């Protein structure tokens, strides 16, 4: 990371990778061939990634007895950029999510999830091509902070006593069997997330940023997230954005009775519009009017729901890429957004597109946009040609069924 806040990438960077568990090795082998071929073609051999394998998950546990060795975490810290397949996390106890551990340790405060339709992809939507959004999900706070206490433990009893006896809380419906979770939402955490979303919209000439929240119920956490977002937009990006809050104030001062969308757009004068939406209503509008939304800024739990729901509209999480980024330090981990699907391990049948398109995001982050564009266009052509893996093949008429490795080879050919 340069002193100017910009990432400085050499022509031969070392990038750590984790193959992942379950189907991870199959989809990684197909994906890395695509990455290497695109870089070779785009830069005529002048640039090349040197891949550094590091361990995490089941493979690591078998070899070292640790789910996330310190050497792996150190490599992610040292090399700034990394890419990974899906990792197993035992359910109901044991280790916490390895993905959450990475985000917390590296302070990867943005979970970046672009959602875009590739022509020919099977979709439940009538017009899936209208879905084109980028989700900025806050990654380090909210209930994912992991501050939880199981009912019956001394910690839960202590917290219950504090809430009831000292804070006067009377809304515990079943106090003797209640577990507790704490939802921290800070001004600093909210601002850095929303700042990144607005800057992304400006850099990529996108029309709007929507702050999605449940502030009508959680007024001092999610409601504060919305208000801090509006404050930041109006103070730090004055002249570049126009907020709904400014519009409402103007409307009140002018005596306007109706907030007309065309009038609002006219008033903003070509600036990026900053608006907000209640989370449940947003999920409805994302189905009915997806073209009205571009960049989404939201908290951790909402972002989890929204990312997967929107992915389903354009073909499912099997084709959805993702990244976890700290725009201040430069640290970024790009990853498949789906699970490990262990019953399909070593079958060479699953769709590698989530890792392939996460690699596209990685190349764009590195500034290697020519290689990224080659891959994006080639994936699109491969799907349009109906040469697909089993997940898409089962939903298509007259498609050609490919194995995981064959899909990767077809993407390379279509460059």
């Amino acid at each position: 990371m340069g002193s100017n806040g910009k990432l400085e990438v050499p022509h031969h960077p070392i990038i750590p990778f984790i193959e992942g568990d379950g189907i991870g090795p199959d989809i990684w082998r197909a994906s890395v061939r695509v990455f290497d071929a695109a870089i070779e073609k785009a830069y005529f051999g002048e640039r090349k990634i040197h891949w550094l394998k590091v361990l995490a998950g089941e493979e690591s546990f078998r070899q070292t007895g640790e789910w996330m060795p310190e050497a792996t975490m150190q490599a992610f810290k040292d090399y700034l950029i990394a890419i990974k397949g899906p990792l197993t996390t035992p359910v109901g106890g044991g280790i916490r999510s390895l993905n959450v551990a990475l985000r917390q340790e590296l302070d990867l405060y943005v979970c970046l999830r672009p959602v875009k339709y590739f022509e020919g992809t099977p979709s439940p939507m009538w017009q899936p091509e209208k879905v084109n959004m980028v989700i900025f999900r806050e990654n380090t706070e909210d209930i994912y902070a992991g501050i939880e206490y199981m009912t019956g433990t001394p910690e839960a009893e202590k917290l219950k006593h504090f809430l009831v006896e000292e804070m006067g809380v009377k809304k515990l419906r079943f106090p003797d069997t209640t577990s507790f979770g704490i939802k921290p939402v800070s001004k600093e955490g909210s601002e850095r997330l929303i700042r990144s979303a607005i800057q992304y919209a400006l850099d990529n000439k996108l029309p709007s940023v929507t702050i999605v929240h449940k502030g009508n119920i959680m007024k001092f956490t999610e409601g504060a997230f919305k208000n801090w977002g509006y404050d930041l937009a109006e103070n730090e990006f004055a002249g570049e954005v126009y907020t709904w809050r400014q519009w409402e104030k103007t409307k009140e001062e002018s005596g306007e009775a109706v907030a007309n969308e065309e009038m609002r757009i006219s008033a903003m004068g070509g600036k990026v519009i900053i608006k907000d939406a209640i989370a449940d209503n947003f999920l409805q509008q994302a189905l009915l009017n997806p073209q009205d939304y571009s960049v989404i800024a939201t908290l951790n739990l909402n972002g989890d729901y929204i990312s997967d729901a929107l992915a389903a509209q354009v073909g499912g999480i099997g084709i959805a890429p993702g990244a976890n980024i700290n725009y201040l330090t430069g640290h970024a981990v790009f990853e498949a957004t789906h699970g490990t699907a262990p019953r399909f391990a070593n079958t060479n049948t699953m769709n590698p597109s989530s890792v392939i398109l996460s690699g596209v995001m990685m190349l764009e982050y590195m500034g290697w946009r020519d290689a990224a564009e080659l891959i994006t266009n080639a994936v699109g052509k491969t799907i349009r040609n109906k040469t697909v893996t089993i997940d898409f093949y089962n939903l298509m008429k007259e498609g050609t069924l490919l194995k995981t490795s064959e899909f990767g080879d077809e993407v390379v050919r279509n460059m």
Side-chain angles (χ1 to χ4, degrees):
M1 197 65 170
S3 58
N4 60 353
K6 302 293 184 182
L7 203 65
E8 298 175 358
V9 182
H11 282 190
H12 289 253
I14 298 171
I15 295 184
F17 72 93
I18 299 170
E19 283 187 343
D21 299 324
I23 62 174
D26 280 349
I27 61 177
W28 172 255
R29 284 189 291 269
S31 300
V32 74
R33 288 204 302 276
V34 171
F35 304 150
D36 289 342
I39 294 166
E40 172 70 27
K41 187 174 182 64
Y43 305 113
F44 307 99
E46 292 182 1
R47 300 184 189 182
K48 179 180 175 63
I49 291 175
H50 296 271
W51 301 103
L52 174 66
K53 182 176 180 178
V54 294
L55 297 176
E58 290 179 342
E59 182 183 13
S60 173
F61 190 73
R62 287 195 305 267
Q63 293 189 25
T64 70
E66 297 181 273
W67 291 93
M68 177 67 73
E70 181 57 36
T72 296
M73 191 68 75
Q74 193 61 49
F76 279 34
K77 292 177 181 177
D78 291 343
Y79 293 104
L80 294 189
I81 294 176
I83 188 168
K84 57 178 282 296
L87 292 174
T88 297
T89 295
V91 176
I95 63 168
R96 286 184 58 207
S97 166
L98 297 175
N99 294 325
V100 173
L102 277 170
R103 295 167 191 170
Q104 295 284 344
E105 182 72 19
L106 298 174
D107 197 22
L108 304 175
Y109 60 86
V110 170
C111 179
L112 187 65
R113 290 281 295 271
V115 182
K116 181 180 179 181
Y117 180 69
F118 283 89
E119 182 184 348
T121 302
S123 167
M125 297 287 288
W126 176 46
Q127 294 177 303
E129 68 278 1
K130 290 185 176 181
V131 180
N132 189 1
M133 304 183 209
V134 180
I135 302 151
F136 278 72
R137 168 190 171 192
E138 204 291 318
N139 230 358
T140 63
E141 298 190 315
D142 202 356
I143 60 172
Y144 284 71
I147 309 171
E148 289 190 290
Y149 304 101
M150 183 65 186
T151 181
T153 63
E155 294 84 0
E157 289 299 312
K158 186 175 183 179
L159 181 55
K160 180 176 69 176
H161 182 273
F162 171 74
L163 291 172
V164 174
E165 301 298 330
E166 297 190 36
M167 299 299 291
V169 172
K170 301 182 185 300
K171 295 181 180 180
L172 297 180
R173 182 65 57 87
F174 303 106
D176 292 338
T177 59
T178 297
S179 293
F180 296 94
I182 306 296
K183 180 186 177 76
V185 177
S186 71
K187 185 171 187 282
E188 293 85 350
S190 300
E191 285 182 340
R192 65 181 185 175
L193 182 281
I194 295 168
R195 181 183 295 112
S196 298
I198 295 173
Q199 192 61 56
Y200 184 94
L202 290 168
D203 291 344
N204 292 277
K205 296 180 172 55
L206 298 173
S208 68
V209 175
T210 304
I211 302 169
V212 179
H213 60 94
K214 195 63 179 168
N216 57 328
I217 303 299
M218 292 171 274
K219 300 182 186 300
F220 304 128
T221 51
E222 304 223 356
F225 176 78
K226 178 196 74 170
N227 292 331
W228 289 328
Y230 276 137
D231 291 343
L232 179 136
E234 292 167 7
N235 294 330
E236 293 190 18
F237 295 92
E240 297 179 282
V241 305
Y242 189 83
T243 71
W244 271 15
R245 193 168 69 175
Q246 289 171 315
W247 166 258
E248 293 297 330
K249 183 178 180 182
T250 301
K251 185 183 67 171
E252 290 174 5
E253 291 173 350
S254 63
E256 291 285 348
V258 179
N260 181 281
E261 184 68 19
E262 291 183 1
M263 291 172 63
R264 182 187 289 120
I265 292 172
S266 175
M268 98 186 175
K271 301 172 185 176
V272 172
I273 190 165
I274 312 298
K275 52 187 177 178
D276 74 274
I278 302 296
D280 46 341
N281 181 56
F282 171 79
L283 287 168
Q284 177 183 220
Q285 293 303 318
L287 291 170
L288 299 174
N289 299 295
Q291 70 279 359
D292 291 345
Y293 301 95
S294 180
V295 177
I296 309 302
T298 191
L299 286 166
N300 213 331
L301 182 60
N302 291 333
D304 202 354
Y305 296 150
I306 289 167
S307 296
D308 283 5
L310 290 180
Q313 296 179 216
V314 297
I317 59 174
I319 195 173
N324 299 284
I325 301 173
N326 184 318
Y327 285 99
L328 302 175
T329 65
H331 287 100
V333 178
F334 299 84
E335 64 178 355
T337 59
H338 54 70
T340 59
R343 67 193 180 103
F344 297 109
N346 303 312
T347 62
N348 194 28
T349 58
M350 294 293 99
N351 191 340
S353 295
S354 182
V355 171
I356 290 174
L357 295 174
S358 296
V360 168
M361 295 177 67
M362 181 185 74
L363 292 168
E364 291 174 342
Y365 183 70
M366 293 164 58
W368 294 15
R369 292 186 175 270
D370 293 330
E373 186 175 355
L374 273 176
I375 298 173
T376 301
N377 292 338
V379 169
K381 183 176 181 181
T382 304
I383 295 172
R384 285 196 305 275
N385 291 344
K386 297 186 177 182
T387 47
V388 293
T389 48
I390 188 69
D391 53 336
F392 285 2
Y393 176 80
N394 285 338
L395 301 172
M396 284 181 172
K397 293 181 179 179
E398 301 177 351
T400 300
L401 177 61
L402 300 180
K403 292 185 176 297
T404 307
S405 56
E406 292 170 337
F407 184 87
D409 293 339
E410 194 67 17
V411 172
V412 172
R413 275 193 290 273
N414 285 330
M415 292 179 192

